[in-house]
Amino acid sequence: MTVHNKKTRERITALAVALAAALLSLLATRYFSFLASLENIAADIRIAALQKPMPQSKDIVIAALIEDTVTQFAYRSPIDRAFLAGLLETLEKKGARVIGVDILIDQPTEPDKDALLKRTLQALKTPFFFSYTNTPSIVNEAQLAFMNDFIPPQNRAGANLLTDPFDGTVRWIFAGETNPGMPIGFPRKAALLYGKATPPENAEIIWRARPDVDTPPFPIYPAHTIALLPDEWFTGKIVLVGAVLSITDRHRTPLAVVHDGDQGMMPGIIVQAHGISQLLEDRHHPRLATGPAAAITLALALVGMLIGLLKRGVMFNVVTGLLVIAAWWSGGMLGFSHGLPLVPLVAPTLALALSLWMMDTLIGGAERKQREFVQSAFSRYVSRAVVNQLVDNPEALSIKGERREATFIFTDIAGFTTLSESLNSEKLSDLLNAYLDGACQIILKHEGTIDKFIGDAIMSLFNAPIAQPDHVARAVRCALDLDDYTERFRAQHATEGIDFGITRIGVNTGVAVVGNFGSTQRMDFTALGDTVNIASRTEGANKYFGTRVLCTERVVAQCPGIGFRPVGEVVLKGKTQAIMLYTPVAPDEARSDFFVAYQAAFKLLEAHNPEALPALQALARARPDDVLVRFHLSRVEAGEITSRVILDDK
């Protein structure tokens, strides 16, 4: 199968995965109670905590039967009928436009008080209605008969509260008229008497937000104080009469996920007030419609598909997926607080997770096997970054090159030819393999690419094939680690009587042509150009100065955090222009007095100043074994007061 056909088939599979993940997620959050509850809870949190404040209702007032109201009677329940009759008359006198009473008149009390309330109802001219239900689980036949006799049909309103079967939370306005004898629902009855027709459907309740933390969404006054309050507080309003007690007629609402008290476990009369307010103001629930919600779920499934197509492994998928999910949930929460609708959170999250899992199952498994094979075959020779690129992008194996900035390290062992003549082939092979293995581990640790081995020499590069913004400093740190390793290696084998030569290291940076070069049967990832040649010759210059690590001035210019000693203005073999070479030093050395004195002496050399001689002699007395001081002192003593050095060989 060609690469093109493979990719086409892979993309078709990926799209099928995304569609399947989105569909399964939508069905799961609709038909599985646990997931449906999670989606509701996610919406409830936003409604309870992030709604924008709303002004207190101007159309609805609650005459609340509170503890102080009921304790003045001989019995708490049923509510004193004489008091209720007086309250209704008072509200009519105060100009209430509609009176709604959320009290079931389903049993007799004191005959004279019952008669008084009945006469009062017959005499009321203000439109009114009472809560009513014929649900067998709430009222028996005797209670229903009493209620039917007491409350005229035109003054009845269905008092049922529709709750979520999963968590018992009140979520919908009861439309009523659901079975024979059941009247219109309480909120719809209030709206109708107020002059607002409403559709016969169970609409999801839009909970009215408070103006502030101390102000309820509806004015609430104790029922026993109504007569003492100003008439204008009630004139032209819908006045709702109901219990606001601590243990009676309390119902869980979506606000309970954040709030307690009347905002969480809410009295039935306040629940009804929220429904009435919604109907009067034609407010629509902020929950996103089914179509756009499904589109969002599909979009997150596609995101999961795209993450899977990156083929970065299970851990990458998990971490990236979690970041996307966190961003989606944060955006959904904050967006609602700024006026956006209630977007689904659980279904898109599930879609993304399913998409990632299915992508990994269908595509990732085969990719991992291929990755493991390539890593096994190549990771010993090139950096992990190159291996990953080959796995993720097979087209990278094509024969092409590009001009790019890169930094190169060349290493070579001094006197290795002589050493090889003194050892048998087996011992030489073991020694060289051990040396190269340690050196390569250091290069790979710094994420360099091992280009090639040339006998005992190593060529490596940085910033290719993947970009490394710090490639120059990275290469210098690698060179210092290589120098430390090779010196330890040399010292270790010196105790065995093996004269292992010093390792010379050269570092240069610049533009080179980097890519795969060769034939369709065999190719190498390598670099070509003058930058590479200069790196090689910089390594060779070490033998003239007695140094182990040399870097070009281009390298030094891009490593401000590393200390360097100037070595000389060197004209390399085959070149006409001199380049300044430096040798890196340890941080402590860069802060030493000797380092400062050497810099000053070198400036005298650059200026051809005869004072360079005593300066170098002083340095030689301080450090008689310093190779650079000895090199320059011997030249100055021979009459060459200059930092310029012309090399006749590599």
Side-chain angles (χ1 to χ4, degrees):
M1 181 182 294
T2 66
V3 171
H4 175 73
N5 290 338
K6 180 183 177 183
K7 283 193 170 296
T8 300
R9 180 179 174 184
E10 187 177 89
R11 288 166 183 165
I12 293 173
T13 301
L15 286 173
V17 162
L19 290 171
L23 180 60
L24 288 172
S25 300
L26 291 169
L27 293 174
T29 51
R30 181 179 179 89
Y31 294 107
F32 286 97
S33 60
F34 173 70
L35 294 174
S37 293
L38 281 181
E39 193 72 86
N40 282 332
I41 290 171
D44 293 348
I45 291 172
R46 284 171 281 177
I47 290 171
L50 300 174
Q51 280 197 104
K52 288 186 175 181
M54 297 178 64
Q56 192 175 57
S57 174
K58 297 179 180 180
D59 301 314
I60 302 167
V61 174
I62 296 174
L65 302 171
I66 63 173
E67 290 294 331
D68 288 346
T69 305
V70 299
T71 54
Q72 61 185 294
F73 308 126
Y75 45 86
R76 294 173 62 91
S77 181
I79 193 69
D80 188 281
R81 301 280 164 80
F83 170 79
L84 187 55
L87 177 61
L88 295 176
E89 289 178 340
T90 299
L91 291 173
E92 183 168 70
K93 290 176 182 177
K94 289 184 175 291
R97 182 168 172 177
V98 177
I99 301 172
V101 183
D102 189 24
I103 299 172
L104 288 178
I105 308 297
D106 60 352
Q107 57 186 295
T109 62
E110 300 169 73
D112 56 339
K113 292 183 178 181
D114 289 349
L116 173 61
L117 178 58
K118 199 166 189 178
R119 290 195 302 272
T120 301
L121 297 182
Q122 292 170 350
L124 279 178
K125 294 182 174 55
T126 302
F128 73 92
F129 60 95
F130 272 69
S131 286
Y132 178 94
T133 183
N134 58 10
T135 305
S137 61
I138 300 176
V139 294
N140 57 35
E141 291 184 6
Q143 290 174 304
L144 183 59
F146 183 88
M147 193 160 38
N148 285 337
D149 177 67
F150 206 102
I151 304 297
Q154 69 273 16
N155 301 118
R156 301 171 188 169
N160 297 36
L161 295 176
L162 296 182
T163 60
D164 191 324
F166 301 137
D167 57 14
T169 300
V170 178
R171 295 194 182 278
W172 298 276
I173 294 173
F174 177 59
E177 303 175 309
T178 54
N179 53 57
M182 177 63 78
I184 189 173
F186 196 101
R188 293 184 62 213
K189 184 72 172 182
L192 182 63
L193 294 178
Y194 196 76
K196 178 80 173 181
T198 58
E201 58 187 35
N202 300 328
E204 190 167 0
I205 298 176
I206 308 169
W207 303 93
R208 189 181 190 93
R210 291 179 169 230
D212 53 65
V213 295
D214 298 318
T215 307
F218 308 97
I220 302 176
Y221 308 114
H224 60 282
T225 67
I226 298 298
L228 306 175
L229 301 178
D231 291 354
E232 58 266 26
W233 290 6
F234 305 92
T235 302
K237 310 261 176 104
I238 297 176
V239 182
L240 305 178
V241 180
V244 182
L245 303 171
S246 58
I247 59 174
T248 303
D249 194 29
R250 291 272 173 166
H251 306 272
R252 177 181 171 82
T253 70
L255 308 183
V257 296
V258 173
H259 304 288
D260 53 14
D262 286 354
Q263 283 189 271
M265 298 300 292
M266 190 177 293
I269 190 63
I270 299 180
V271 173
Q272 304 289 18
H274 279 276
I276 297 168
S277 169
Q278 169 182 339
L279 295 178
L280 291 182
E281 298 171 9
D282 281 325
R283 285 187 284 117
H284 299 284
H285 200 279
R287 193 184 298 273
L288 199 65
T290 301
I296 286 175
T297 302
L298 176 59
L300 267 290
L302 290 171
V303 170
M305 176 200 76
L306 292 174
I307 294 172
L309 285 175
L310 293 176
K311 303 172 189 175
R312 300 291 178 83
V314 175
M315 185 56 66
F316 174 85
N317 290 353
V318 170
V319 172
T320 307
L322 288 175
L323 290 174
V324 172
I325 290 168
W328 177 246
W329 279 68
S330 299
M333 295 287 181
L334 295 176
F336 180 73
S337 69
H338 287 80
L340 294 180
L342 279 172
V343 297
L345 297 180
V346 175
T349 298
L350 183 60
L352 186 142
L354 279 175
S355 182
L356 279 174
W357 174 73
M358 294 167 71
M359 286 290 293
D360 185 69
T361 300
L362 296 177
I363 296 176
E367 294 291 339
R368 279 194 296 275
K369 288 182 180 179
Q370 182 183 17
R371 180 184 294 271
E372 289 169 1
F373 170 77
V374 174
Q375 287 176 335
S376 174
F378 298 106
S379 61
R380 295 175 60 187
Y381 307 104
V382 297
S383 73
R384 183 174 295 274
V386 178
V387 175
N388 290 340
Q389 187 188 58
L390 295 178
V391 172
D392 296 337
N393 183 20
E395 289 84 350
L397 293 172
S398 61
I399 305 173
K400 61 181 181 180
E402 61 173 352
R403 293 179 61 81
R404 65 186 298 168
E405 289 280 341
T407 302
F408 300 88
I409 296 179
F410 275 81
T411 73
D412 193 24
I413 304 171
F416 187 77
T417 301
T418 302
L419 175 65
S420 64
E421 293 172 351
S422 65
L423 298 174
N424 62 50
S425 60
E426 183 178 355
K427 181 64 176 178
L428 179 65
S429 175
D430 291 343
L431 183 66
L432 182 58
N433 285 339
Y435 166 84
L436 293 175
D437 185 64
C440 290
Q441 287 183 31
I442 292 171
I443 295 170
L444 295 179
K445 182 186 75 172
H446 289 274
E447 298 184 356
T449 297
I450 300 169
D451 186 303
K452 60 174 64 72
F453 301 102
I454 309 169
D456 60 289
I458 305 172
M459 172 185 170
S460 60
L461 66 155
F462 294 79
N463 203 42
I466 62 169
Q468 296 167 319
D470 62 339
H471 61 96
V472 181
R474 186 189 293 262
V476 173
R477 290 192 295 269
C478 178
L480 289 170
D481 281 356
L482 283 170
D483 181 58
D484 179 67
Y485 159 73
T486 55
E487 282 298 285
R488 286 187 284 106
F489 187 90
R490 189 165 71 94
Q492 173 189 340
H493 287 86
T495 62
E496 303 172 7
I498 299 175
D499 186 17
F500 197 89
I502 66 169
T503 296
R504 300 176 180 135
I505 302 171
V507 186
N508 185 35
T509 189
V511 176
V513 179
V514 181
N516 288 289
F517 299 93
S519 68
T520 56
Q521 285 76 37
R522 180 179 176 84
M523 61 183 62
D524 288 321
F525 183 84
T526 189
L528 305 173
D530 194 51
T531 300
V532 183
N533 297 332
I534 291 175
S536 175
R537 292 176 183 180
T538 298
E539 173 271 309
N542 280 285
K543 64 183 178 182
Y544 286 92
F545 298 101
T547 51
R548 298 195 303 270
V549 183
L550 286 178
C551 302
T552 62
E553 55 191 330
R554 280 187 167 185
V555 171
V556 174
Q558 298 185 56
C559 298
I562 301 176
F564 293 88
R565 287 173 63 184
V567 172
E569 299 173 82
V570 181
V571 180
L572 297 171
K573 175 67 174 178
K575 300 292 181 181
T576 57
Q577 297 293 321
I579 61 171
M580 182 66 77
L581 296 184
Y582 297 80
T583 186
V585 297
D588 290 344
E589 173 70 8
R591 293 188 292 268
S592 69
D593 293 338
F594 181 85
F595 182 82
V596 174
Y598 178 86
Q599 301 280 73
F602 192 84
K603 288 185 180 298
L604 294 173
L605 281 177
E606 288 181 306
H608 310 289
N609 190 327
E611 291 299 318
L613 177 60
L616 288 168
Q617 289 172 335
L619 289 171
R621 288 191 295 272
R623 289 190 187 177
D625 294 331
D626 188 273
V627 294
L628 286 177
V629 171
R630 290 206 314 266
F631 176 84
H632 288 298
L633 179 58
S634 65
R635 297 181 76 229
V636 171
E637 288 176 340
E640 294 184 70
I641 307 175
T642 179
S643 61
R644 186 179 180 87
V645 180
I646 300 175
L647 302 185
D648 297 326
D649 199 357
K650 175 186 172 185

